[in-house]
Amino acid sequence: MHAIETIGLSKAFRNVNAVQGLNLRVPEGSIYGFIGENGSGKSTTEKLIAGLLVPSGGEIRLYGRHCSDPGVRSRMGVLIENPGCFPNSTVYQNLMMQALNLGLADPRAEVGRVLRLVSMAGAADRRFGKCSLGMRQRLGVAQALLGRPRLLVLDEPINGLDADGIRIVRETLTGLAREDGVSVLISSHILGELSRIATHFGIIRGGTLIKEMAADEMGEECRDFVFVVTEDDARAVGVLSQKYGEVEAMDGGIRVYGETESPEVGGLLYANGIRVKEIAYRKIGLEEYYLKVMADGKGVA
């Protein structure tokens, strides 16, 4: 079953199609990385799923039921753009107001639980208006976690976080997905971090989904290569091209793709009198793969 499924989802603003014919599928228990450039339709899509906007066309289903079904709508936690908090109220007070608004059975215990999850128990008495951007983002994540939601929709939740804050959010989300089966739809421009937690990916451009795949599928397309820097890269490319099928000069060095090993590449260059300055085994990352897909304009959703 899909935690989220959109069927021909569309949204227009004054004849501008922000989202058009979107067919997105978020598997249950997955962390779905939603990727796209600014203005691509990510936030609009998430607002539609969260019920903050009304679609112009198409359908949204949550766990197989219509998105308006209160049984599934009440199990959704949302953080889109900025957390809605009162600046003169403390972190704890803001969370308590949200917990009471949700009608939680034991709001004090639940607020304490989410504060511990995002490592903000020590900042419970700080006024929201005095919180840093990173602290506000973590508070927003804490708000989304109130009531133990089955589905999380998060828009740029690690924006403004320092390395430790990113780690906390990463460990929280992966733990919830792995241990509690929580499904997560998360957008982020920090693709290196997203690649560490996402089990599935969707790439959107111009309101249209141009690629959707599982992380292991993407891993197969993100090829391994030997990266080497020599004292004479131009000559090294010629030598390596005679033996290996695909050799490419880029990033200030040479990439050798295919079934090969660093010692083998280094040995060949040494045998031809070319001194190696640097050599390493690497893999194409999510950011490079994303940029290639966007440049090619290809992919079937």
Side-chain angles (χ1 to χ4, degrees), residues 85-244:
C85 293
F86 294 97
N88 292 323
S89 296
T90 66
V91 167
Y92 182 84
Q93 289 168 339
N94 273 292
L95 287 171
M96 275 297 294
M97 283 185 276
Q98 180 68 356
L100 292 169
N101 184 52
L102 292 171
L104 301 182
D106 190 347
R108 291 182 183 277
E110 183 62 4
V111 167
R113 182 185 73 87
V114 298
L115 281 172
R116 290 190 296 274
L117 273 176
V118 299
S119 298
M120 285 193 67
D125 295 329
R126 179 173 299 194
R127 293 183 185 276
F128 178 75
K130 298 294 184 180
C131 289
S132 66
L133 175 59
M135 293 178 70
R136 294 184 184 195
Q137 287 298 100
R138 282 159 61 189
L139 175 56
V141 172
Q143 282 185 318
L145 294 174
L146 284 169
R148 299 180 183 271
R150 188 178 175 190
L151 172 63
L152 288 171
V153 177
L154 307 174
D155 182 28
E156 300 285 351
I158 57 178
N159 179 40
L161 296 183
D162 58 18
D164 193 51
I166 291 175
R167 177 192 59 79
I168 291 166
V169 172
R170 177 178 71 238
E171 292 176 354
T172 299
L173 296 181
T174 54
L176 289 169
R178 181 177 61 251
E179 298 166 16
D180 301 326
V182 174
S183 307
V184 183
L185 172 63
I186 175 173
S187 67
S188 178
H189 285 97
I190 308 177
L191 301 188
E193 185 58 36
L194 201 59
S195 68
R196 299 182 65 179
I197 64 171
T199 61
H200 294 75
F201 296 94
I203 301 177
I204 186 173
R205 182 175 62 185
T208 301
L209 199 68
I210 63 172
K211 194 79 172 179
E212 188 174 61
M213 64 200 310
D216 55 356
E217 294 177 282
M218 192 195 73
E220 292 175 3
E221 295 199 26
C222 293
R223 296 179 296 165
D224 299 331
F225 60 91
V226 173
F227 179 76
V228 60
V229 180
T230 74
E231 63 180 5
D232 189 348
D233 284 354
R235 182 165 165 248
V237 167
V239 170
L240 294 169
S241 297
Q242 292 176 21
K243 181 170 182 179
Y244 302 109

Side-chain angles (χ1 to χ4, degrees), residues 224 226 244 256-261 264 281:
D224 299 331
V226 173
Y244 302 109
V256 183
Y257 297 96
E259 297 294 328
T260 184
E261 300 291 339
E264 180 183 318
Y281 197 68

